[in-house]
Amino acid sequence: MTVRPIVIYGDPVLHNPTRPAEEPFSQYRELIDDMFETMEKAHGVGLAANQVGLDLRIFVYKCPDDEGHWHEGYFLNPTLETSEIPQTMPAVDGSDDEGCLSVPGEGFPTGRAHWAKVTGYDLDGNEVSAEGEGFLARCFQHEVGHLDGYVYLDVLIGRNKRAAKKAVKAHGWDHPGNTWTPGEVRDPFGHDDEPED
């Protein structure tokens, strides 16, 4: 397995809808293994294929629910169902905070539906689905959003949207070509891992 560079916000691959994965789905086994390895090294809970530069409708996840139970899996060509998405400002108490491996080191309150269900396919072409509430639902919405061509900054509202625009400009993420490789640079989210030599 290989840790792949993660594409940062300004790259067009993150801002355009991905193309469907093609059969045989087994051809993506190495990619999915690499995505799990990259996500784990980055201390993430989800990773979409376009975050590693490939415009494919695939994501992996290893994410806890609100009770602390971990859920792990992947989807090829996923579709998303959700409960109603709130139109009000998200909570400022930290419960609605969201981060993204393609927006390294930043986090902003983001309104999300409380429940979400993803349906897609596994590497053998079998239909699979998973659903969850709270944080797990947030993860599913975040990853399918990537595949639809949106980074979570694109769905922010009000002062959070303004703060995100300032952060993008300050970091110089307003153009293509920026990446970071987990394990090769200091963790931008402040985890204890030191960069490898």
Side-chain angles (χ1 to χ4, degrees):
M1 290 184 286
T2 303
V3 174
R4 300 192 181 206
I6 296 175
V7 175
I8 293 176
Y9 181 79
D11 200 289
V13 74
L14 296 172
H15 301 284
N16 290 292
T18 53
R19 60 188 169 89
E22 297 178 357
E23 296 191 67
F25 293 148
S26 58
Q27 68 181 298
Y28 302 111
R29 188 175 308 278
E30 182 178 348
L31 169 62
I32 288 173
D33 288 344
D34 287 355
M35 288 173 64
F36 272 115
E37 182 76 7
T38 303
M39 177 183 66
E40 183 175 329
K41 194 69 172 175
H43 303 283
V45 295
L47 187 68
N50 54 344
Q51 290 184 273
V52 293
L54 300 172
D55 69 332
L56 289 168
R57 197 165 181 82
I58 299 172
F59 81 85
V60 302
Y61 67 97
K62 184 176 181 182
C63 182
D65 59 27
D66 289 352
E67 286 74 45
H69 303 289
W70 286 84
H71 302 262
E72 181 175 359
Y74 66 90
F75 288 97
L76 290 86
N77 298 337
T79 58
L80 178 71
E81 300 171 61
T82 70
S83 56
E84 185 176 352
I85 299 172
Q87 300 300 311
T88 56
M89 283 295 288
V92 295
D93 63 2
S95 62
D96 282 338
D97 284 0
E98 196 161 318
C100 178
L101 297 177
S102 290
V103 187
E106 297 290 342
F108 299 95
T110 309
R112 296 290 190 184
H114 180 68
W115 172 87
K117 179 180 179 180
V118 179
T119 303
Y121 296 92
D122 66 14
L123 287 166
D124 297 318
N126 300 311
E127 187 173 277
V128 290
S129 65
E131 63 184 285
E133 297 181 338
F135 190 75
L136 184 59
R138 178 178 296 276
C139 175
F140 289 158
Q141 292 167 81
H142 183 113
E143 299 310 323
V144 174
H146 273 302
L147 302 180
D148 290 341
Y150 300 99
V151 179
Y152 86 106
L153 301 188
D154 302 328
V155 301
L156 299 178
I157 59 174
R159 63 182 174 272
N160 299 318
K161 189 173 196 71
R162 293 189 295 274
K165 285 183 177 179
K166 288 180 182 177
V168 166
K169 185 174 180 181
H171 288 296
W173 294 338
D174 53 358
H175 60 276
N178 293 314
T179 63
W180 71 283
T181 304
E184 290 185 6
V185 298
R186 184 170 296 281
D187 188 291
F189 293 97
H191 297 102
D192 294 332
D193 280 2
E194 293 293 327
E196 294 178 353
D197 294 331

